[in-house]
Amino acid sequence: MRVLVTRRWPDTVEHALSDSFEVVLNDSDAPLSQADLASAMGEFDVLAPTVSDTIDADIIAGGDRCRLIANYGVGFDHIDVGAAKAKGIAVTNTPGVLTDATADLALTLILMAARRAGEGERELRAGAWNGWRPTHLIGSALRDKVLGIVGFGRIGQATAERAHHGFGMKIAYYARGPKDEAQALDAEYCATVPDLLAKSDFVSLHVPGGNDTAHLIDADALAAMKPGSYLVNTARGGVVDHDALAEALISGYLAGAGLDVYPEEPDVPAALLQLENVVLLPHLGSANAETREAMGMRALANIEAFAKGSGLPDRVA
Ligand code: DGY
């Protein structure tokens, strides 16, 4: 069985994969072109892409050999699952294993935005720090502030746990319906996103990307947020209208934001790069050694199940 891995994976996983299958690895780690991805569909039984590959209908139409797209990552909005399904190609992802890492990063962004850590570091490195003074780079406390979680799945809940038990924040959340897990966090359910936004001092996004959530946080949603509040996004860039966000940050309506994801990665909206009150990270949500290895092992488990003809553990289409 021939497997194409589109980017470098942790060594341990690449070795484990190569021990079992005929694998083509990407030693240079350069992203494959759309033409290369399309022709891979005719040359490999399994394509193992990441969020940096756009697997659209044209790619899926590129050949008839591929029967499994084993994504390295939990989000799969970069894959046209409808087109894959129509062609009888299974799609799997890697859920569960990156929950803690992503929740840790959401808290990193909340803390960095609230405590103006990026601004402070830039000032210090520029040699512009004049020393301690009572009014220097004053941020916001977290205790007793309301953290609004949009999307109360695994990562949303893990973020809420950290914020509540670790930092004394009050939790409110939006989901399609109330969740039992909310009780342990004394979390308040909001039946609509605007209700949640109106009562939150900090808002953290944890919904999947794709058409259903595109620009969920648009100009109207930003206007529904509390003046002086903060927005954090570790989900997908397309969930936020970045032009509207830049305006809300420039006007000072929002106190700050923390972003890990962008609509057209690796491009970052130019307006945001100019602003001091936004923390910008390069899609690091799952980037710790343990998590990246676990993601690879989970993708491998799906490929092994496929090779054996048994049920795929993490089938999404
Ligand atoms: C995920 O797993 O979806 C992360 O965003 C990396 O792709």
Side-chain angles (χ1 to χ4, degrees):
M1 212 181 70
R2 298 193 79 220
V3 180
L4 177 67
V5 176
T6 65
R7 303 301 296 264
R8 286 298 316 270
W9 285 10
D11 285 346
T12 42
V13 193
E14 288 190 347
H15 290 143
L17 201 53
S18 305
D19 285 346
S20 305
F21 305 107
E22 187 189 334
V23 181
V24 172
L25 300 170
N26 180 352
D27 291 335
S28 77
D29 204 22
L32 299 186
S33 68
Q34 292 304 96
D36 286 344
L37 288 170
S39 53
M41 298 301 290
E43 294 162 22
F44 294 87
D45 304 285
V46 178
L47 181 66
T50 72
V51 66
S52 61
D53 304 301
T54 301
I55 312 295
D56 57 20
D58 288 343
I59 302 294
I60 286 167
D64 291 331
R65 179 163 173 176
C66 179
R67 283 284 155 261
L68 171 66
I69 298 173
N71 187 53
Y72 178 101
V74 67
F76 51 88
D77 55 301
H78 55 290
I79 300 171
D80 188 334
V81 290
K85 210 170 169 178
K87 226 177 151 194
I89 300 172
V91 180
T92 58
N93 69 343
T94 63
V97 291
L98 42 72
T99 303
D100 283 335
T102 309
D104 289 350
L105 200 86
L107 260 298
T108 304
L109 286 172
I110 290 169
L111 284 161
M112 285 185 75
R115 301 302 299 275
R116 304 176 64 176
E119 279 178 83
E121 210 210 9
R122 282 189 291 278
E123 180 186 271
L124 182 147
R125 285 179 185 269
W129 180 37
N130 296 325
W132 193 92
R133 59 190 192 278
T135 55
H136 181 221
L137 284 180
I138 302 306
S140 167
L142 299 188
R143 182 166 298 280
D144 292 331
K145 298 289 166 62
V146 176
L147 173 62
I149 304 275
V150 183
F152 207 60
R154 288 190 195 89
I155 299 172
Q157 288 172 29
T159 301
E161 273 167 26
R162 283 157 171 73
H164 183 65
H165 296 307
F167 295 95
M169 298 186 83
K170 296 176 179 158
I171 306 298
Y173 70 103
Y174 164 78
R176 276 189 226 120
K179 301 244 188 166
D180 293 343
E181 295 88 345
Q183 283 172 15
L185 298 169
D186 206 12
E188 180 186 352
Y189 176 64
C190 294
T192 70
V193 173
D195 282 352
L196 179 76
L197 299 177
K199 66 175 48 156
S200 300
D201 301 296
F202 291 80
V203 172
S204 189
L205 305 177
H206 299 283
V207 288
N211 291 339
D212 291 350
T213 56
H215 284 195
L216 178 70
I217 305 299
D218 59 8
D220 288 343
L222 291 164
M225 288 177 69
K226 276 171 114 170
S229 61
Y230 296 81
L231 178 72
V232 162
N233 188 12
T234 53
R236 282 292 182 263
V239 177
V240 176
D241 176 344
H242 285 88
D243 291 338
L245 175 62
E247 276 179 33
L249 289 167
I250 290 165
S251 71
Y253 184 76
L254 289 193
L259 306 178
D260 188 44
V261 285
Y262 309 90
E264 303 288 340
E265 295 178 7
D267 292 342
V268 176
L272 296 175
L273 289 169
Q274 312 303 321
L275 300 179
E276 283 294 346
N277 57 347
V278 58
V279 179
L280 301 169
L281 296 182
H283 204 147
L284 294 178
S286 60
N288 67 45
E290 295 82 353
T291 301
R292 288 288 165 87
E293 181 167 323
M295 289 165 71
M297 289 303 180
R298 191 84 181 221
L300 174 59
N302 281 289
I303 296 169
E304 284 172 341
F306 172 76
K308 284 188 200 132
S310 44
L312 301 175
D314 304 309
R315 186 169 189 155
V316 295

